[in-house]
Amino acid sequence: VILIASNYGGVRHPGWYHNLLTHPQCELHIGPRGGQFVARETEGADHDRLFELAVDFYPGYAKYAERINGIRAIRILRLSPR
């Protein structure tokens, strides 16, 4: 599971991003599926690859990145099964 902390291109990271950095063990449930996960921030080439995949999925992420260019980076968290 990949989480994109875009906050719609706002100048601050979303609150959940800070919560997951502080408490990376979490649960995610979507309908009947879900489970326990550990959140880890992506970096470097892994981050860039995932961001490009996210933009392919939802082009709005590219606009969000333009909106905040130079203010902050859009962080990406990977949730791995616990």
Side-chain angles (χ1 to χ4, degrees):
V1 175
I2 302 301
L3 302 176
I4 312 294
S6 68
N7 205 19
Y8 304 100
V11 297
R12 296 181 183 180
H13 297 297
W16 61 259
Y17 167 79
H18 298 288
N19 291 340
L20 283 174
L21 288 183
T22 303
H23 304 284
Q25 294 189 17
C26 60
E27 289 188 25
L28 175 68
H29 297 277
I30 301 172
R33 300 178 69 192
Q36 297 180 349
F37 296 88
V38 176
R40 291 186 179 86
E41 191 162 359
T42 63
E43 298 176 343
D46 187 37
H47 172 277
D48 296 345
R49 181 183 67 82
L50 292 172
F51 188 76
E52 289 302 317
L53 287 172
V55 169
D56 288 344
F57 180 76
Y58 175 65
Y61 288 129
K63 292 179 183 170
Y64 300 159
E66 287 176 20
R67 202 177 291 163
I68 60 174
N69 188 28
I71 298 171
R72 70 174 180 93
I74 293 178
R75 307 292 188 196
I76 300 176
L77 298 177
R78 179 189 306 274
L79 299 186
S80 301
R82 216 182 326 166

